[in-house]
Amino acid sequence: MIAAKDKITPAQLTILVIQAQIGVSILFLPSSVESIAGNDAWISVILAGITSLLLIVIIWGLSRRFPALTLFEYLPMLLGKVLGKIVHVVYASMFILECSFLLVEFGDVMRDWVFSNTPGWVILSLMLLTSLYMIRENIRLIARFFVLTFGLIFVLILIATYAYRDADLMYILPINQVSLPGVFKAMMQSMDSLYGFEILFFCYPYVQGKSKGILKATIFGNIFSTLVYTFMVFTCLIVFSPEELKVIPQPVLYMVKTLSFTIFERADLYFLTIWTLVVITSVMAYLFMSAKTVSALFGKKQHAGTAPYVALVILCISLYPHDQDMINKMKYIVGILTGVSLIALPLILLCISYLRKIKGKEQAEA
Amino acid sequence: MGFFSQIFSNNRHVGKSAARKSRVAPIEKNVEAALQNNISYVDQALFHTEDLVSRPINYLSEQGCLLYLNSVCDPDKIQEVILKPLLKAQGVNPERDITANLVEKHTNLEPVIDLMIRGYAVLFLEGREECYAIQVVFLNNRAVVEPANEKSIQGAHDGFIESMQVNLQLVRKQINSRNLVVRQYTLGKMTKTDASIVYLNDLASPELVKEIERRITSINADNLMNGYLVLEYMEDKSLSPFPQILQTERPDRVAGNLLEGRVALLMEGTPAALIMPVSFFVFYQSPDDYNSRSLAGSFIRLLRLFSFFIAIMLPAYYIAVVSFHYEVIPMELFYQIKGSVEKIPYPPILEALFMELTIELLREAGMRLPAPIGQSIGIVGGLVIGDAVVRVGLVSYPMIIVVALTGIASFVVPSHEMSYSVRLLRFPMMIAAALLGFIGIVFSFTFMMVHLCKLESFGTPYFAPAAPMRLKDWKDAVVRFPFWKLNERPIDPQPQKLVQETRAKEERGDDRG
């Protein structure tokens, strides 16, 4: 049973989900989606948001049947010991790889935009150290920090809004220029940015209130992040011409770079600074999930002891790829792993739970 | 590990061992009938200390002796309340005849000796197996004046002094409620200092009071002379840069905090009250905010909170800009700054450290010197060094501006303790900025924020109402809304009653807005 003082409110859950979802890809998403779906990219992002809603419902449906347990406590109940451990390992590697990939992309941006000569491990290990300092605590304190830094996302939006000065709505016309398969392919691409809602697996038992409220909170968070992503993609689409978008990897930064305010220049540096904080919260979320998963794998109740080792592994993995080719390979692996463990596995687990009628004990409602 | 945990546990043993030690049976020594035996016992118990005075005295037909320590007793009072009344005495009971306000009859000598140290005179009478302890303590209180480091422009001008009794009276004068409770303790195995916690019985949460009581009683140390020592034993994290207990010398500030359900600790010899638990924002509230109108109060408070960011971030920001991100400076300003910075042979971090340390030196020197010289040190240091250092080419002009602004901003905090933490915190920020520019600032800032989120003061969140976020409480933490809008107390000290007023303005009847 979880004590009332360890619980978080549904509003905190919403922000946890948003902060886990919005991270590095706010910079990458526009160009990566545009390269597939052209000026219909924004539709793909919205479609991806709808898809992730479905996935949230699946995860929620699964968690609802075990209201007092986290994923790794009921995995053996559903799959048996051996298979449960295997799936557990899949999840652990997925979280660790996803966190590493986040860091790889972050390190890339830092190298390209701010510190071209600073070795990557310096910045990445600082990032992990800062995150480590936070995630050794329980979910409640983490939620407090996420709420505190939530406002910064609006600052990012505000800076980007300034770019509407140079916008031209004609760029997104005609709608449905690319074929439907292209839009769907781009949707799969943008799904990568919307992962993060899986934090529900870890939070569910800790949230106050009824399960419907939890679903609502998560869905609200997901809708918010989808809108932010769509806004960013849409802004980039109407600010840059399709030809320009093909050659620039981080269009958002190029977009804010040209903005000039009278009291300061180079808004992209401020944008990057705030974006770093937004990325830190994502890294925290993923590091937390990785640490929780790994510590559960070794049968430990507390994750604080395992967290430094997990961070070390993540650091090593994230320093490994050193060219675009390897990064793409890594992206491919991460894509498969997340697809398996966030789309296929929850669905299978839900089916097993319903078919074999395995259910956790009802949590006594206060 | 045991060694380290002992170091870091702040001597804060959990009750048991302390209690066990103090449970050594007290020595019993009954008052004897023979006068001389009693006198020599006291004399020996005090190791023939030479401020012990024994004055022979007659009580009607009985022979007696008055014993006291002349260093702590008031000779006028002895004359007035003991000697004169005894001369005119008629009855047989000295307790009745002596006119002092505190007279205790004792049959055991040991507690009497402890009382003597605290300013009691003891009367022994030949043939009686009892003695009388009479309070004649020499009170040498300074006047109740405005505290020098917490001045207010509008509002009360009284401040705490070194006497706990006077301080308690000052607090009681503010809150005439029967719910105001005083609990007394004696702290320090050697110093035996009086301390008392004050709280409102119907407001302060019982768990909080219990926790504070537990922490006070489980300190096991010889020297607990004053509140500043006790503070460190009681804090949650002594190594955190942020103070978790508020010290204040103002009775109105104490009263205001008591009314929010917090607890104050007063100690003999300490001209300040320690208020716990406090949140970060309490350090940025000053009674002045409440004594001026709400718009002005809000403006000043926002300015103060803003000054927190200036004080810790401005030098770091400047260093980052000059050494990494000079692109962010607008073109017209760029040439000005470039012209000034270019001639300096040292990296900006050294410039900044040099200037910041100079300012700290000046401050410290000005504080230690008597007031008139202190001021001239400020002028000599500020003007002469500031000007010469630029002419010589050690420091650039913009850096002087930055350092001066930072210095001013760090003195705005209405609490001395928080001012220290702000001044300390900017050094790690500056180093981070010198190493990694904006990104370094972000990392160190995040570190600080995480620390603030994790910190707790007596089980209550330290960074409330920002984390956990409760926008309702921002009305009195970040700005100051009009009083009739502040219907609820802040939630972080977990008061028993949240509502502090209901429909305060509507009932006035004449309001239309």
Side-chain angles (χ1 to χ4, degrees), chain A residues 259-301:
Chain A
L259 303 180
S260 166
F261 303 86
T262 30
I263 42 170
F264 58 85
E265 303 277 325
R266 288 293 300 270
D268 59 316
L269 281 172
Y270 294 97
F271 192 93
L272 264 178
T273 310
I274 295 165
W275 172 79
T276 306
L277 238 168
V278 175
V279 175
I280 289 177
T281 53
S282 287
V283 173
M284 279 175 186
Y286 275 101
L287 192 57
F288 177 74
M289 292 193 274
S290 317
K292 273 276 179 203
T293 316
V294 172
S295 62
L297 193 60
F298 291 107
K300 279 188 180 146
K301 274 245 170 268

Short mmCIF file of all heavy atoms in Angstrom, two decimals, chain A residues 259-301:
data_model
loop_
_atom_site.label_atom_id
_atom_site.label_comp_id
_atom_site.label_asym_id
_atom_site.label_seq_id
_atom_site.Cartn_x
_atom_site.Cartn_y
_atom_site.Cartn_z
N LEU A 259 15.64 35.97 -35.53
CA LEU A 259 14.86 36.96 -34.80
C LEU A 259 15.80 37.94 -34.13
O LEU A 259 16.84 37.59 -33.61
CB LEU A 259 14.01 36.30 -33.72
CG LEU A 259 13.06 35.22 -34.20
CD1 LEU A 259 12.29 34.66 -33.03
CD2 LEU A 259 12.10 35.79 -35.23
N SER A 260 15.41 39.21 -34.16
CA SER A 260 16.25 40.21 -33.52
C SER A 260 15.38 41.08 -32.64
O SER A 260 14.43 41.70 -33.11
CB SER A 260 16.95 41.05 -34.57
OG SER A 260 17.49 42.18 -33.98
N PHE A 261 15.65 41.06 -31.36
CA PHE A 261 14.94 41.94 -30.45
C PHE A 261 15.86 43.12 -30.20
O PHE A 261 17.07 43.01 -30.35
CB PHE A 261 14.62 41.21 -29.15
CG PHE A 261 13.83 39.95 -29.36
CD1 PHE A 261 14.48 38.75 -29.63
CD2 PHE A 261 12.46 39.95 -29.30
CE1 PHE A 261 13.76 37.59 -29.83
CE2 PHE A 261 11.74 38.80 -29.50
CZ PHE A 261 12.38 37.61 -29.77
N THR A 262 15.30 44.22 -29.76
CA THR A 262 16.19 45.38 -29.62
C THR A 262 17.18 45.22 -28.48
O THR A 262 18.27 45.75 -28.53
CB THR A 262 15.37 46.66 -29.41
OG1 THR A 262 14.17 46.31 -28.74
CG2 THR A 262 15.10 47.36 -30.71
N ILE A 263 16.78 44.47 -27.40
CA ILE A 263 17.71 44.41 -26.29
C ILE A 263 18.66 43.23 -26.39
O ILE A 263 19.71 43.23 -25.78
CB ILE A 263 17.00 44.39 -24.92
CG1 ILE A 263 15.79 43.47 -24.98
CG2 ILE A 263 16.62 45.79 -24.50
CD1 ILE A 263 15.19 43.21 -23.63
N PHE A 264 18.30 42.21 -27.13
CA PHE A 264 19.29 41.15 -27.33
C PHE A 264 19.16 40.53 -28.71
O PHE A 264 18.11 40.60 -29.34
CB PHE A 264 19.22 40.09 -26.24
CG PHE A 264 17.89 39.41 -26.12
CD1 PHE A 264 17.57 38.33 -26.91
CD2 PHE A 264 16.97 39.85 -25.18
CE1 PHE A 264 16.35 37.70 -26.78
CE2 PHE A 264 15.76 39.23 -25.05
CZ PHE A 264 15.43 38.17 -25.85
N GLU A 265 20.25 39.96 -29.14
CA GLU A 265 20.30 39.32 -30.46
C GLU A 265 20.36 37.81 -30.23
O GLU A 265 20.51 37.34 -29.12
CB GLU A 265 21.55 39.77 -31.21
CG GLU A 265 21.66 41.25 -31.39
CD GLU A 265 20.87 41.74 -32.59
OE1 GLU A 265 20.80 41.00 -33.58
OE2 GLU A 265 20.31 42.84 -32.52
N ARG A 266 20.36 37.10 -31.34
CA ARG A 266 20.56 35.65 -31.30
C ARG A 266 19.63 34.96 -30.30
O ARG A 266 20.07 34.35 -29.31
CB ARG A 266 22.01 35.33 -30.95
CG ARG A 266 23.00 35.63 -32.06
CD ARG A 266 22.81 34.73 -33.27
NE ARG A 266 22.97 33.33 -32.93
CZ ARG A 266 24.13 32.67 -32.98
NH1 ARG A 266 25.20 33.28 -33.39
NH2 ARG A 266 24.19 31.40 -32.69
N ALA A 267 18.34 35.02 -30.57
CA ALA A 267 17.38 34.37 -29.67
C ALA A 267 17.62 32.87 -29.61
O ALA A 267 17.21 32.22 -28.66
CB ALA A 267 15.97 34.66 -30.13
N ASP A 268 18.31 32.32 -30.63
CA ASP A 268 18.50 30.87 -30.62
C ASP A 268 19.32 30.40 -29.42
O ASP A 268 19.10 29.31 -28.90
CB ASP A 268 19.17 30.41 -31.91
CG ASP A 268 20.51 31.06 -32.11
OD1 ASP A 268 20.59 32.27 -31.88
OD2 ASP A 268 21.46 30.36 -32.47
N LEU A 269 20.24 31.25 -28.96
CA LEU A 269 21.05 30.85 -27.80
C LEU A 269 20.18 30.75 -26.54
O LEU A 269 20.32 29.83 -25.75
CB LEU A 269 22.19 31.83 -27.58
CG LEU A 269 23.36 31.60 -28.54
CD1 LEU A 269 24.37 32.71 -28.41
CD2 LEU A 269 24.00 30.26 -28.27
N TYR A 270 19.27 31.74 -26.38
CA TYR A 270 18.36 31.67 -25.24
C TYR A 270 17.42 30.49 -25.39
O TYR A 270 17.12 29.78 -24.45
CB TYR A 270 17.56 32.97 -25.12
CG TYR A 270 18.43 34.15 -24.79
CD1 TYR A 270 18.89 35.00 -25.79
CD2 TYR A 270 18.81 34.39 -23.49
CE1 TYR A 270 19.70 36.06 -25.49
CE2 TYR A 270 19.63 35.46 -23.19
CZ TYR A 270 20.07 36.30 -24.19
OH TYR A 270 20.88 37.35 -23.89
N PHE A 271 16.98 30.29 -26.63
CA PHE A 271 16.09 29.16 -26.92
C PHE A 271 16.77 27.86 -26.53
O PHE A 271 16.19 27.02 -25.85
CB PHE A 271 15.75 29.17 -28.42
CG PHE A 271 14.63 28.24 -28.79
CD1 PHE A 271 13.32 28.69 -28.83
CD2 PHE A 271 14.88 26.92 -29.10
CE1 PHE A 271 12.30 27.84 -29.18
CE2 PHE A 271 13.86 26.06 -29.44
CZ PHE A 271 12.56 26.53 -29.48
N LEU A 272 18.03 27.71 -26.94
CA LEU A 272 18.77 26.49 -26.63
C LEU A 272 18.95 26.32 -25.12
O LEU A 272 18.87 25.21 -24.60
CB LEU A 272 20.16 26.57 -27.26
CG LEU A 272 20.30 25.88 -28.61
CD1 LEU A 272 21.68 26.08 -29.14
CD2 LEU A 272 20.01 24.41 -28.45
N THR A 273 19.19 27.45 -24.44
CA THR A 273 19.39 27.38 -22.99
C THR A 273 18.15 26.85 -22.30
O THR A 273 18.22 25.96 -21.46
CB THR A 273 19.71 28.79 -22.46
OG1 THR A 273 20.74 29.34 -23.26
CG2 THR A 273 20.13 28.75 -21.03
N ILE A 274 17.00 27.39 -22.68
CA ILE A 274 15.76 26.94 -22.06
C ILE A 274 15.43 25.52 -22.50
O ILE A 274 14.99 24.69 -21.72
CB ILE A 274 14.62 27.92 -22.39
CG1 ILE A 274 14.94 29.27 -21.76
CG2 ILE A 274 13.31 27.42 -21.89
CD1 ILE A 274 14.10 30.38 -22.29
N TRP A 275 15.71 25.27 -23.77
CA TRP A 275 15.46 23.93 -24.30
C TRP A 275 16.28 22.89 -23.53
O TRP A 275 15.81 21.78 -23.27
CB TRP A 275 15.81 23.93 -25.79
CG TRP A 275 15.80 22.60 -26.45
CD1 TRP A 275 14.71 21.92 -26.87
CD2 TRP A 275 16.94 21.81 -26.80
NE1 TRP A 275 15.09 20.75 -27.45
CE2 TRP A 275 16.46 20.65 -27.42
CE3 TRP A 275 18.31 21.97 -26.64
CZ2 TRP A 275 17.30 19.65 -27.89
CZ3 TRP A 275 19.15 20.99 -27.11
CH2 TRP A 275 18.65 19.84 -27.72
N THR A 276 17.50 23.27 -23.12
CA THR A 276 18.32 22.35 -22.34
C THR A 276 17.59 21.93 -21.07
O THR A 276 17.57 20.75 -20.70
CB THR A 276 19.65 23.02 -21.94
OG1 THR A 276 20.26 23.51 -23.11
CG2 THR A 276 20.57 22.06 -21.24
N LEU A 277 16.94 22.89 -20.43
CA LEU A 277 16.20 22.55 -19.21
C LEU A 277 15.04 21.62 -19.52
O LEU A 277 14.74 20.70 -18.76
CB LEU A 277 15.68 23.84 -18.57
CG LEU A 277 16.16 24.07 -17.15
CD1 LEU A 277 15.84 25.46 -16.70
CD2 LEU A 277 15.54 23.07 -16.21
N VAL A 278 14.40 21.86 -20.67
CA VAL A 278 13.29 20.99 -21.05
C VAL A 278 13.82 19.58 -21.33
O VAL A 278 13.18 18.58 -20.98
CB VAL A 278 12.57 21.57 -22.29
CG1 VAL A 278 11.50 20.63 -22.77
CG2 VAL A 278 11.96 22.90 -21.93
N VAL A 279 15.00 19.51 -21.94
CA VAL A 279 15.59 18.20 -22.20
C VAL A 279 15.97 17.51 -20.88
O VAL A 279 15.77 16.32 -20.72
CB VAL A 279 16.82 18.33 -23.11
CG1 VAL A 279 17.51 16.99 -23.27
CG2 VAL A 279 16.43 18.86 -24.46
N ILE A 280 16.49 18.29 -19.94
CA ILE A 280 16.88 17.70 -18.66
C ILE A 280 15.69 16.97 -18.03
O ILE A 280 15.83 15.86 -17.54
CB ILE A 280 17.42 18.77 -17.69
CG1 ILE A 280 18.79 19.26 -18.16
CG2 ILE A 280 17.57 18.20 -16.29
CD1 ILE A 280 19.36 20.37 -17.31
N THR A 281 14.51 17.59 -18.10
CA THR A 281 13.36 16.92 -17.48
C THR A 281 13.04 15.61 -18.21
O THR A 281 12.67 14.64 -17.57
CB THR A 281 12.14 17.84 -17.47
OG1 THR A 281 11.91 18.31 -18.79
CG2 THR A 281 12.32 19.00 -16.54
N SER A 282 13.20 15.61 -19.55
CA SER A 282 12.96 14.35 -20.28
C SER A 282 13.97 13.30 -19.86
O SER A 282 13.63 12.13 -19.63
CB SER A 282 13.09 14.56 -21.78
OG SER A 282 12.01 15.26 -22.25
N VAL A 283 15.24 13.72 -19.78
CA VAL A 283 16.27 12.77 -19.38
C VAL A 283 15.98 12.24 -17.99
O VAL A 283 16.11 11.04 -17.72
CB VAL A 283 17.66 13.43 -19.42
CG1 VAL A 283 18.72 12.52 -18.84
CG2 VAL A 283 18.02 13.79 -20.84
N MET A 284 15.54 13.14 -17.11
CA MET A 284 15.17 12.70 -15.76
C MET A 284 14.09 11.63 -15.81
O MET A 284 14.19 10.60 -15.15
CB MET A 284 14.65 13.88 -14.94
CG MET A 284 15.73 14.74 -14.34
SD MET A 284 14.96 16.14 -13.53
CE MET A 284 16.40 17.07 -13.08
N ALA A 285 13.06 11.90 -16.63
CA ALA A 285 11.95 10.94 -16.70
C ALA A 285 12.46 9.59 -17.18
O ALA A 285 12.15 8.55 -16.59
CB ALA A 285 10.88 11.47 -17.63
N TYR A 286 13.29 9.59 -18.25
CA TYR A 286 13.75 8.31 -18.79
C TYR A 286 14.74 7.64 -17.86
O TYR A 286 14.73 6.41 -17.71
CB TYR A 286 14.35 8.50 -20.18
CG TYR A 286 13.27 8.49 -21.22
CD1 TYR A 286 12.79 9.65 -21.79
CD2 TYR A 286 12.69 7.28 -21.60
CE1 TYR A 286 11.78 9.64 -22.71
CE2 TYR A 286 11.67 7.26 -22.52
CZ TYR A 286 11.22 8.44 -23.08
OH TYR A 286 10.20 8.41 -23.97
N LEU A 287 15.60 8.44 -17.22
CA LEU A 287 16.55 7.86 -16.28
C LEU A 287 15.80 7.24 -15.11
O LEU A 287 16.15 6.16 -14.64
CB LEU A 287 17.52 8.94 -15.79
CG LEU A 287 18.75 8.47 -15.04
CD1 LEU A 287 19.54 7.50 -15.87
CD2 LEU A 287 19.62 9.66 -14.67
N PHE A 288 14.76 7.92 -14.69
CA PHE A 288 13.95 7.39 -13.59
C PHE A 288 13.34 6.05 -13.97
O PHE A 288 13.42 5.08 -13.23
CB PHE A 288 12.85 8.40 -13.24
CG PHE A 288 11.90 7.94 -12.18
CD1 PHE A 288 12.29 7.91 -10.85
CD2 PHE A 288 10.61 7.55 -12.51
CE1 PHE A 288 11.41 7.49 -9.87
CE2 PHE A 288 9.73 7.12 -11.54
CZ PHE A 288 10.14 7.09 -10.22
N MET A 289 12.78 6.01 -15.20
CA MET A 289 12.14 4.77 -15.62
C MET A 289 13.17 3.66 -15.76
O MET A 289 12.93 2.52 -15.35
CB MET A 289 11.38 5.01 -16.93
CG MET A 289 10.19 5.93 -16.75
SD MET A 289 9.07 5.94 -18.14
CE MET A 289 9.80 7.16 -19.19
N SER A 290 14.34 4.01 -16.33
CA SER A 290 15.38 2.99 -16.49
C SER A 290 15.81 2.47 -15.12
O SER A 290 15.92 1.26 -14.91
CB SER A 290 16.61 3.56 -17.18
OG SER A 290 16.25 4.36 -18.25
N ALA A 291 16.05 3.40 -14.19
CA ALA A 291 16.54 2.99 -12.87
C ALA A 291 15.51 2.12 -12.18
O ALA A 291 15.84 1.10 -11.58
CB ALA A 291 16.86 4.22 -12.04
N LYS A 292 14.24 2.50 -12.30
CA LYS A 292 13.17 1.72 -11.68
C LYS A 292 13.13 0.32 -12.27
O LYS A 292 13.03 -0.68 -11.55
CB LYS A 292 11.82 2.40 -11.92
CG LYS A 292 11.49 3.44 -10.87
CD LYS A 292 10.86 2.77 -9.67
CE LYS A 292 10.54 3.80 -8.59
NZ LYS A 292 10.45 3.23 -7.27
N THR A 293 13.22 0.25 -13.62
CA THR A 293 13.13 -1.04 -14.28
C THR A 293 14.30 -1.93 -13.88
O THR A 293 14.12 -3.09 -13.55
CB THR A 293 13.14 -0.84 -15.81
OG1 THR A 293 12.29 0.24 -16.13
CG2 THR A 293 12.68 -2.07 -16.52
N VAL A 294 15.51 -1.36 -13.92
CA VAL A 294 16.68 -2.18 -13.62
C VAL A 294 16.67 -2.62 -12.17
O VAL A 294 16.97 -3.78 -11.86
CB VAL A 294 17.97 -1.39 -13.96
CG1 VAL A 294 19.18 -2.14 -13.48
CG2 VAL A 294 18.05 -1.15 -15.45
N SER A 295 16.28 -1.71 -11.27
CA SER A 295 16.28 -2.12 -9.87
C SER A 295 15.23 -3.19 -9.62
O SER A 295 15.43 -4.08 -8.80
CB SER A 295 16.08 -0.92 -8.95
OG SER A 295 14.83 -0.33 -9.19
N ALA A 296 14.10 -3.12 -10.36
CA ALA A 296 13.10 -4.17 -10.22
C ALA A 296 13.63 -5.49 -10.77
O ALA A 296 13.33 -6.57 -10.27
CB ALA A 296 11.81 -3.77 -10.94
N LEU A 297 14.46 -5.40 -11.81
CA LEU A 297 15.04 -6.59 -12.41
C LEU A 297 15.90 -7.33 -11.39
O LEU A 297 15.95 -8.56 -11.35
CB LEU A 297 15.89 -6.18 -13.62
CG LEU A 297 16.35 -7.27 -14.57
CD1 LEU A 297 15.16 -7.98 -15.16
CD2 LEU A 297 17.20 -6.67 -15.67
N PHE A 298 16.58 -6.56 -10.54
CA PHE A 298 17.42 -7.18 -9.52
C PHE A 298 16.67 -7.34 -8.20
O PHE A 298 17.28 -7.58 -7.16
CB PHE A 298 18.69 -6.36 -9.31
CG PHE A 298 19.61 -6.43 -10.48
CD1 PHE A 298 19.78 -5.35 -11.33
CD2 PHE A 298 20.29 -7.61 -10.75
CE1 PHE A 298 20.62 -5.44 -12.43
CE2 PHE A 298 21.13 -7.69 -11.85
CZ PHE A 298 21.30 -6.61 -12.69
N GLY A 299 15.36 -7.16 -8.25
CA GLY A 299 14.55 -7.41 -7.07
C GLY A 299 14.75 -6.41 -5.95
O GLY A 299 14.64 -6.75 -4.78
N LYS A 300 15.06 -5.18 -6.33
CA LYS A 300 15.25 -4.17 -5.28
C LYS A 300 14.04 -3.27 -5.20
O LYS A 300 13.46 -2.92 -6.23
CB LYS A 300 16.50 -3.35 -5.57
CG LYS A 300 17.74 -4.07 -5.15
CD LYS A 300 18.95 -3.16 -5.27
CE LYS A 300 20.18 -3.90 -4.85
NZ LYS A 300 21.36 -3.52 -5.58
N LYS A 301 13.70 -2.86 -3.99
CA LYS A 301 12.55 -1.99 -3.82
C LYS A 301 12.91 -0.54 -4.13
O LYS A 301 12.14 0.19 -4.73
CB LYS A 301 12.02 -2.08 -2.38
CG LYS A 301 11.05 -3.21 -2.17
CD LYS A 301 9.66 -2.67 -1.83
CE LYS A 301 8.61 -3.76 -1.85
NZ LYS A 301 7.93 -3.94 -3.09
#
